[in-house]
Structures are given as structure tokens and as C-alpha cells.
Amino acid sequence: GEDVEQSLFLSVREGDSSVINCTYTDSSSTYLYWYKQEPGAGLQLLTYIFSNMDMKQDQRLTVLLNKKDKHLSLRIADTQTGDSAIYFCAEIPSGGTYKYIFGTGTRLKVLA
Amino acid sequence: DVKVTQSSRYLVKRTGEKVFLECVQDMDHENMFWYRQDPGLGLRLIYFSYDVKMKEKGDIPEGYSVSREKKERFSLILESASTNQTSMYLCASRSGMRGETQYFGPGTRLLVL
């Protein structure tokens, strides 16, 4: 069935890199997203990647896509305390236009 | 900038009450969504609407209904609130174009006593 998995927690020290991982099940998914949710707020799009790409870089963010293993990762370089939030990956399964499948979310805690 | 607003940030209701959660978007988006967010479960889709007066059930529609009479407004209705509906409710909208991201409102934290 459709399922997107993430680890629930990640703790890093300020200035280190953070890597948040996501495993999805539909190998034909065409769009994959990373969202950030700060405390008490809705989700905000961070970045996305098309399935025909292996990597996308956007300032401190690097997204890696391994389609063979159905694995998506988000790397945050020079992690800051303001990066503390919940991070969700999401996919649009093949054949779908409306339905997004979200992961459980990874809570990132940045230690000063 | 796309703006999605929700009528309340926090709401406290009693079991059996009828509850209305309102969502408004200002970008003329065709698609609108209601999710609930619970710890460890991520976001689960309750209902979505792909156009005015059109709706489809999501993964967990039981105990909920929706209304979309105008393009900018999507309402979630709890006909008879129960304690297991205590949750964070998130509304989102997007254009009808494939792959376009969703834009989320700030959420409504509902407590049912």
C-alpha cells in the first residue's frame, strides 16, 4: 500500500549538518516534496524534486533521490537553531493528481 | 504570496456539539484539502475538493463532512464531535496543475471535552 516512512526524531548540534531520510513506496511517483512545520504553524514548502533528477541543491539544502531504493533525503548544511522544526516528505503517487502521501514527520532539534 | 487562513487557531468544544472549521484561500485555487495531524501519524487526508461543489473522501472521512459553495472557501464539519476528534486540523489549497505544491493554513487545534 501507500506508505511514506521517516524516523521520528533527529538531534544535531548547531553548525553541524542534518540529514533527514524518507522512504516511499511508489517507485513511479513523479514529484517528491519536503515541507517544514514550525511550532504552532502550518506546513511550508521547503523544496521539491522531480523524479527524473538525482539531486537538487538550494542554498543550504540538498535533496538526494535514489529511485532504485525509493529513498529521499534532505541535507541541511550548517544547521541553525531556527531550523528546529518538524520536516515532512511527501509524494504524489503515479496516476494521482490530487492525493499527496505525507510521511510521519521528523522532529529536528538543534542544540546550541 | 498565497494566503490560506483558518477561522480559529484554537477551539474547545464539548462531545456531541456540531463544529464548523472554516478555511479561506485568496489565490483562486481549484483544489482544497482538509487534513488532521496527530503525533506519530503525520498528516491524514479527511476530504478534498477539486472544484466548487465537488468533493471526494480522503483516507479518514468518517465523522466528518465538508462544504464548498464558493471557490475560496472550504468548510469542515464535525456533525457530532467526539473526543477522538481532538487533533490539529490543517487546510491546504493548490492550483489544479499537476505537481503544483499545496499551500497550508496555520492550523486549528481542536480540543473536544
Side-chain angles (χ1 to χ4, degrees), chain A residues 29-46:
Chain A
S29 288
T30 51
Y31 298 88
L32 295 137
Y33 303 88
W34 282 105
Y35 288 87
K36 177 184 181 182
Q37 184 183 35
E38 294 182 351
L43 276 68
Q44 175 189 2
L45 179 68
L46 269 184

Side-chain angles (χ1 to χ4, degrees), chain A residues 97-98, chain B residues 29-33 47-57 68 71 74 94-96:
Chain A
T97 305
Y98 310 113
Chain B
H29 283 168
E30 283 80 14
N31 305 157
M32 296 187 76
F33 305 78
Y47 266 98
F48 69 87
S49 168
Y50 46 93
D51 208 339
V52 177
K53 297 189 188 295
M54 308 301 271
K55 61 186 178 185
E56 274 199 35
K57 293 179 180 179
R68 186 137 180 236
K71 195 173 188 180
F74 191 35
R94 67 185 281 270
S95 74

Side-chain angles (χ1 to χ4, degrees), chain A residues 2 8 28 30-31 33 35 37 39-45 50 86 88 92-105, chain B residues 9-10 31 33 35 37-38 40-43 45 48 50 56 58-59 88 90 94 96-107:
Chain A
E2 300 164 337
L8 290 181
S28 300
T30 51
Y31 298 88
Y33 303 88
Y35 288 87
Q37 184 183 35
L43 276 68
Q44 175 189 2
L45 179 68
F50 295 121
I86 303 175
F88 291 90
I92 301 180
S94 60
T97 305
Y98 310 113
K99 192 172 181 182
Y100 290 57
I101 308 298
F102 286 86
T104 51
Chain B
R9 294 299 301 272
Y10 301 95
N31 305 157
F33 305 78
Y35 296 91
Q37 180 183 6
D38 299 288
L41 296 178
L43 272 69
L45 182 64
F48 69 87
Y50 46 93
E56 274 199 35
D59 298 317
M88 170 74 114
L90 292 167
R94 67 185 281 270
M97 293 175 64
R98 182 168 173 75
E100 176 67 17
T101 188
Q102 297 185 17
Y103 296 87
F104 283 83

Side-chain angles (χ1 to χ4, degrees), chain B residues 19-47:
Chain B
V19 182
F20 292 87
L21 302 183
E22 299 279 327
C23 176
V24 178
Q25 50 93 4
D26 66 356
M27 283 301 291
D28 203 36
H29 283 168
E30 283 80 14
N31 305 157
M32 296 187 76
F33 305 78
W34 275 107
Y35 296 91
R36 62 177 283 176
Q37 180 183 6
D38 299 288
L41 296 178
L43 272 69
R44 291 181 292 168
L45 182 64
I46 304 171
Y47 266 98

